[in-house]
Amino acid sequence: MKKNNIILIGMPASGKSTVGVILAKILGYNFVDADIVIQEKDGRKLSEIIAQEGIDGFIDIENKINTGIEVEKSVIATGGSVVYGSEAMEHYKNLGTVVYLKVSMDELTKRLKDVKQRGVVMKEGQSLISLYNERSGLYEKYADITVDEKNSTMEEVVAELLSVLK
């Protein structure tokens, strides 16, 4: 029996936190930001974890902490790199409905002016397009529902998501 949670996955700047907060308010759910949970449990900012543990170390920590998130009636906004953790994703598939907020490469480039400042988890020398291509397949693999944002406002994305969830 699937639990009554909604888990948002997608690229950084796809609006997971924004959509998540609005959705939670409309549904009367709690809102959980997985990145903030990681910071609370680990005691370091994401950027510090990445600087000190490297990308792989961060992904291990992210995977472990996400796997431990147990909630009900919640909207969970995950970090963009959560899909690298198969345990975390299996856990989320059992915890509720996984929604992929899909954003085009063009739109992403506009929104992600400063990739470094956003704390985007990318390997040294990796381009945004190669990261996008690497992750898109994983998002699609784990998604129960995909919402293509096209040029929609966040409100429109929420409305579309609500109609699909009904």
Side-chain angles (χ1 to χ4, degrees):
M1 142 72 182
K2 271 212 170 183
K3 296 221 180 74
N4 49 1
N5 299 292
I6 297 160
I7 299 96
L8 303 176
I9 62 173
M11 287 294 284
S14 60
K16 297 181 297 286
S17 300
T18 312
V19 168
V21 168
I22 301 170
L23 196 61
K25 280 185 188 170
I26 293 170
L27 294 172
Y29 277 25
N30 291 316
F31 174 72
V32 178
D33 186 317
D35 280 347
I36 292 174
V37 175
I38 293 169
Q39 293 186 158
E40 283 173 353
K41 295 238 193 286
D42 187 85
R44 290 178 286 182
K45 292 193 300 200
L46 300 184
S47 56
E48 293 170 341
I49 301 173
I50 293 166
Q52 291 162 15
E53 312 291 338
I55 302 280
D56 293 339
F58 171 75
I59 287 169
D60 282 346
I61 290 169
E62 178 177 47
N63 188 32
K64 255 189 223 81
I65 292 174
N66 274 285
T67 305
I69 290 178
E70 289 291 349
V71 289
E72 278 183 42
K73 286 184 75 171
S74 297
V75 178
I76 304 167
T78 61
S81 53
V82 71
V83 285
Y84 295 128
S86 52
E87 291 86 359
M89 290 314 301
E90 288 310 311
H91 172 65
Y92 280 142
K93 293 287 280 184
N94 292 322
L95 204 61
T97 304
V98 177
V99 177
Y100 169 29
L101 296 181
K102 185 176 180 176
V103 60
S104 71
M105 188 60 212
D106 287 347
E107 185 58 30
L108 197 65
T109 311
K110 279 193 209 114
R111 292 185 196 178
L112 273 181
K113 294 277 186 290
D114 188 349
V115 176
K116 281 283 172 278
Q117 200 195 337
R118 273 300 298 244
V120 179
V121 178
M122 19 192 343
K123 298 177 193 80
E124 202 54 55
Q126 185 170 32
S127 68
L128 191 56
I129 182 102
S130 85
L131 187 75
Y132 182 85
N133 293 335
E134 177 180 290
R135 287 188 188 174
S136 292
L138 289 168
Y139 294 138
E140 280 159 18
K141 171 183 162 186
Y142 289 116
D144 296 308
I145 296 170
T146 298
V147 175
D148 194 332
E149 297 187 3
K150 302 191 183 71
N151 298 321
S152 311
T153 64
M154 288 301 156
E155 285 75 18
E156 288 165 339
V157 171
V158 170
E160 185 182 338
L161 187 45
L162 284 168
S163 71
V164 180
L165 286 169
K166 283 201 167 54

